[in-house]
């Protein structure tokens, strides 16, 4: 008996219930709808290279097509499929097009799609273990798998004897915020113990965290939310935050009576995928009693390959670490993996008392902001098993190899120079005529054949090219490069004329 | 050409690329896997009433079954299906079983499952409009649909001329936090304007927010995260926070030099689904310059039915409002709908400057904590259209009617008394022998036929029964009641013996 049978009249205590049929979709219709949807998605993915990566619509396009009010009566799913195809799809930017080279990759894969389907179909949520044991236990286990795939030290694992552990957060912004809140709570409690007369808000008013100017804008936002100062420090010539810059800032703040308490280091900055020097920063953190959080949102996936493990140098100083499988590890969002060296601090930041090690299964619900968790571990489990560690490594190496291929193409043209190339990100510039960069980018954007963004870095306007789609092949990279070349040729050939258009260069910066 | 073709050898600048096949699932396998998954989910849903609602496993059950390391080589999806069935399913609590009466409903419906499937399949994310116009524009429109369905005033709509608008947040905990951060930023800036010499942290140290003792624990947590005091105020005999209690607390705090700045009212408290008196609270908020946030996570869905709109009395005082379609409105999580009377404040809380009304489409990405949004509007759109407003109303009325049916059953037994009944929540108690409540609940829990929880409310230990599943029918309610009765009969018949077991009553409280 399904939902469609609800409301069969019954009488209790003299109450007559009226017949209420509240289901507008029975199981057969669901299966038809689902089948058609699977076919649609399969076609969408397999033919994604044939669609222009950027949509050809103006702001407000959709509101002209959609009714202003919800329908009173149920509509048939076939009508939705039509609208999806005719109204929604034309307004989509296709993040999985091989010609999408903007932002960072956002993961999508067939195993992850099915993982999400099961998550939705089972529709269970987990708070503590009792609310749904499988949800909690699978997350605990796959987070250990993941830590081992990345080569994180034993002490971060859920299965280790110590107080460390890992949990899935929504996004890197949550992970950074949770790290920052743990750090500030730890420092405030330490100082309160030393001097019980000071108030929490007096201490908080003096707390200072540090990150680089190149870190993701969500790090700065985390500082706002956690009500602490967040200093954006200068980076070295490679875009890396180094010990020296941190030392100077910390000394200055200490001299002013402020309290340095946390560093948020980036492994893979948002603009150029630069790597902060975790070891140098870590030594200072240890000395000054500061928490070290590492945000490896994009680059973390590369750690699946042993040749990138050198990035973990200094991990012994790290208090919390996150990366987003939903960026580069083929796992659909939301899925930000976060580990703590000592979970006591996050538990204490959110509650009065840590209960670490009182239960067989760690109470991972105490390591996050929301009360509940969805069954996100499923999609991690599906992806890791269906690709295997080997498949994930191949995916990473393939993307890096595509980026190297692109880098070689750029360097083979004497008008351009690669400024920074790191993993799947290649930032390059016009050697002369830098002022025309934006004109070229605008022309490329108008043609909608590829999606590439500018990045304003150390007083230079760069082309920022990222290998994003799992469908990308060498031929696609060649085509994207041809598109950049053709527009460059055109703009440079009409240089005098074009320069008039370059009055207004926007200062693209951190995003 | 799909992902399976990647890595065709190519040469660029003398580099020979090796063949790399990184796809472990081609399109045909995906379709087979998806088809089998749809069948599995359909069977799971249609036969959910035949499975015990609670799993019969011990903590750590899954770690004994799963390997300690991820597989190096890819595994076939059929192996995953087997493990899902044999290892995961036995450890699930079935939130959609008609015999699940714990917590609150968590929504799941066929249209929403397909909505999630498309969200995963398209796999696009939105930041600003350009990142994917359809994602942003559909969200803007369906949030207006939803506001109209609920009968919210015009000024909260995205399409209104004013500065109001709505956006989808992850969870009620995010919504409350965003409300609180907007409120504190507004108040701090106001006071800084009056006295520029005071520091932000001096002001923050004096800020006080108010909520009821019965509000969700995430409200208290929001206070911790936002670094403000959060007072948990006593409620009236109905569990409602009233103006008098707020007035007393505010006066006391003002007398101590503190700064009242925000009230978080609940429409539908977590324990008993009590309704705070928004009008009384609002009048005080207006007088004291306090922000009024309403958390209607569960009960908000009832507003789809005009007969419950009286709950909106006082809405003219409300600054921000949220409810979770992922609780009772048939939309799979995560989906918390939030509206602001004036979006300027949330924009200013997160950034230096509000740019309201500079663009055709509101910049909803500035009204949330994460940088990105998934295409969650799709599932709202699917559910609203496939059910119609009429279908949503029927769903609400059906659940309330089931709760009334249950209430009548309880009241017909002279050993019990219904203490509070509100929407789909019925809290009742044993008239004598209250001490045996926990013994009865434990016996019910052990049998795993229904899932019902205790709630400790105003010094009474109550049975808390909630109509949760969309599959629930009158016969299911009867069966659940029979289960409670049978265990009550057994316990009461062996009263003397049982009392020995009642040494250790846990003080169940807010969750």
């Amino acid at each position: 008996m399904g939902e469609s049978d609800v409301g069969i009249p019954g009488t209790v205590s003299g109450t007559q219930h009226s017949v209420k049929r509240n289901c507008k979709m029975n199981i057969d219709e669901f299966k038809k709808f689902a089948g058609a949807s699977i076919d649609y998605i399969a076609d969408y993915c397999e033919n994604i290279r044939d669609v222009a990566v950027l949509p050809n619509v103006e702001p407000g396009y959709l509101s002209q097509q959609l009714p202003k009010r919800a329908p009173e009566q149920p509509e048939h799913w076939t009508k939705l499929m039509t609208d999806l195809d005719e109204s929604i799809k034309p307004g989509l930017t296709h993040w999985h097009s091989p010609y999408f080279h903007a932002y960072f990759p956002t993961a999508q894969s067939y195993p992850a799609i099915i993982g999400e389907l099961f998550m939705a179909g089972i529709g269970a949520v987990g708070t503590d273990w009792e609310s749904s044991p499988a949800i909690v236990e699978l997350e605990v286990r796959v987070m250990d798998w993941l830590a081992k795939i990345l080569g994180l030290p034993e002490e971060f694992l859920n299965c280790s004897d110590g107080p460390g552990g890992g949990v899935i957060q929504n996004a890197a912004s949550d992970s950074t915020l949770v790290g920052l809140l743990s750090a500030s709570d730890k420092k405030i409690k330490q100082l309160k113990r030393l001097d019980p007369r000071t108030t929490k808000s007096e201490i908080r008013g003096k707390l200072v965290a540090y990150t680089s100017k190149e870190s993701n804008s969500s790090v700065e936002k985390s500082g706002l939310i956690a009500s602490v100062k967040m200093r954006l420090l200068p980076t070295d010539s490679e875009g890396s935050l180094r010990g020296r810059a941190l030392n100077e800032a910390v000394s200055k703040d200490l001299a002013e009576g402020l309290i340095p308490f946390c560093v948020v280091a980036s492994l893979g900055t948002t603009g150029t995928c630069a790597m902060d020097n975790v070891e140098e920063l870590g030594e200072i953190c240890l000395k000054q009693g500061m928490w070290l959080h590492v945000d490896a949102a994009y680059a973390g996936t590369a750690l699946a390959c042993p040749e990138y493990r050198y990035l973990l140098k200094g991990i012994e100083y790290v208090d919390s670490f996150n990366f987003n499988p939903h960026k580069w590890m083929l796992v659909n969002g939301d899925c930000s993996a976060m580990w703590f060296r000592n979970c006591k601090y996050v538990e204490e930041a959110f509650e009065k008392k840590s209960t670490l090690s009182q239960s067989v299964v760690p109470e991972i619900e105490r390591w996050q902001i929301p009360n509940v968790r969805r069954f996100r571990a499923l999609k991690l489990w599906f992806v890791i098993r269906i690709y295997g560690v080997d498949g994930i490594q191949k995916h990473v190496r393939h993307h890096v190899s595509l980026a190297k291929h692109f880098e070689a193409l750029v360097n083979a043209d004497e008008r351009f120079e690669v400024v920074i190339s790191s993993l799947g990100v290649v930032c390059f510039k016009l050697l002369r005529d830098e002022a025309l960069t934006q004109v070229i980018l605008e022309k490329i954007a108008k043609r909608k054949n590829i999606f590439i963004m500018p990045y304003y870095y150390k007083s230079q306007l760069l082309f920022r090219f990222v290998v994003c789609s799992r469908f990308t092949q060498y031929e696609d990279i060649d085509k994207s490069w041809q598109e950049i070349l053709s527009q460059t040729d055109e703009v440079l050939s009409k240089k005098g004329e074009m320069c008039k258009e370059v009055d207004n260069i926007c200062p693209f910066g951190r995003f």
Side-chain angles (χ1 to χ4, degrees), chain A residues 150 267 296-304 311 321-324 328-329 423:
Chain A
L150 264 56
L267 284 184
Y298 165 69
T301 297
L303 299 171
L311 292 170
F321 180 98
N322 80 274
F323 92 107
N324 293 356
W328 200 15
M329 207 187 247
L423 299 175

Side-chain angles (χ1 to χ4, degrees), chain A residues 125-127 365 368-374 376:
Chain A
V125 299
T127 52
E365 76 276 11
Q368 61 179 27
I369 294 172
N371 283 348
V372 295
R373 68 185 55 254
R374 299 181 73 201
R376 291 183 292 207

Side-chain angles (χ1 to χ4, degrees), chain A residues 10 54 97 135 146 174 186 189 209 231 242-243 251 265 273 284 302 350 354 362 375 383 408 424 426 478 484 498:
Chain A
L54 285 166
S97 161
I135 295 185
L146 210 48
D174 289 67
K186 180 184 176 192
K189 283 177 180 153
R231 304 250 187 262
R242 303 291 299 274
S251 304
C273 193
I284 301 167
F350 289 143
S354 165
F375 205 167
V383 166
V426 182
D478 292 342
I484 297 167
M498 288 295 178

Side-chain angles (χ1 to χ4, degrees), chain A residues 9-270:
Chain A
T11 48
V12 171
S13 317
T15 311
Q16 176 76 38
H17 301 290
S18 59
V19 178
K20 293 193 180 103
R21 304 184 71 81
N22 70 2
C23 178
K24 300 307 166 190
M25 174 165 280
N26 65 26
I27 193 71
D28 295 327
E29 286 295 304
F30 168 62
K31 285 189 180 180
K32 281 183 210 159
F33 188 15
S37 304
I38 293 291
D39 287 344
Y40 191 93
I41 290 166
D43 282 352
Y44 175 75
C45 291
E46 293 301 300
N47 301 307
I48 201 158
R49 87 169 21 80
D50 305 328
V51 189
V53 58
L54 285 166
N56 190 15
V57 296
E58 294 300 317
Y61 90 98
L62 193 60
S63 45
Q64 292 153 18
Q65 297 179 38
L66 297 183
K68 292 200 169 144
R69 285 195 159 271
E72 283 299 314
Q73 293 305 317
E75 296 184 284
H76 198 260
W77 62 266
T78 46
K79 202 153 173 280
L80 266 93
M81 292 290 280
T82 307
D83 289 351
L84 191 70
D85 198 53
E86 292 176 1
S87 299
I88 301 299
K89 198 180 165 199
L92 283 176
T93 297
H94 304 290
W95 284 64
H96 302 285
S97 161
Y99 311 114
F100 183 100
H101 305 295
Y103 309 102
F104 269 126
T106 191
Q108 182 252 40
S109 69
Y110 293 139
I113 294 170
I114 308 281
E116 292 242 87
L117 177 62
F118 270 110
M119 177 170 77
I122 293 170
V125 299
T127 52
D128 54 2
W129 184 85
E130 261 128 24
S131 68
S132 216
I135 295 185
V136 175
E137 293 205 22
L138 189 66
E139 185 161 330
V140 166
R141 178 53 57 100
V142 294
M143 284 300 293
D144 279 355
W145 280 15
L146 210 48
K148 289 174 184 172
I149 291 174
L150 264 56
L152 290 182
E154 175 77 15
E155 51 266 38
F156 287 100
L157 271 59
N158 289 310
C159 63
S160 70
D161 288 335
V167 66
I168 302 175
Q169 310 279 10
N170 283 321
S173 52
D174 289 67
S175 298
T176 311
L177 179 58
V178 169
L180 209 59
L181 293 167
S182 308
S184 61
D185 185 73
K186 180 184 176 192
K187 182 59 81 178
I188 288 171
K189 283 177 180 153
Q190 267 177 358
L191 297 177
K192 283 279 286 180
R193 275 194 293 274
L194 290 176
D195 180 4
R197 288 162 311 170
T198 56
T199 66
K200 280 188 178 187
S201 63
E202 277 168 3
I203 301 170
R204 190 183 304 282
K206 294 180 186 166
L207 291 181
V208 192
Y210 306 88
T211 193
S212 96
K213 280 184 178 166
E214 299 294 325
S215 72
N216 190 272
S217 61
S218 65
V219 179
E220 196 177 355
K221 201 168 180 179
S222 295
L224 273 176
I225 296 169
S227 311
V228 294
K229 290 175 192 67
M230 177 69 71
R231 304 250 187 262
L232 306 179
L233 304 182
T235 57
D236 72 6
S237 60
E238 311 289 310
S240 165
L241 179 60
R242 303 291 299 274
R244 191 172 159 178
L246 177 62
N247 243 335
E248 279 175 17
V250 167
S251 304
K252 194 161 167 270
D253 285 328
L254 285 172
E256 289 179 16
L258 297 174
I259 307 166
F261 80 103
C262 184
V263 173
V264 179
S266 308
L267 284 184
T269 56
T270 309

Side-chain angles (χ1 to χ4, degrees), chain A residues 378-398:
Chain A
L378 269 186
K379 54 191 174 187
L380 259 177
W381 196 47
F382 279 25
V383 166
I384 294 173
R385 291 184 63 185
I386 289 178
Y387 277 85
V389 177
D390 186 64
I392 292 167
Q393 290 172 336
K394 281 184 174 142
H395 173 67
V396 168
R397 287 171 186 149
H398 176 61

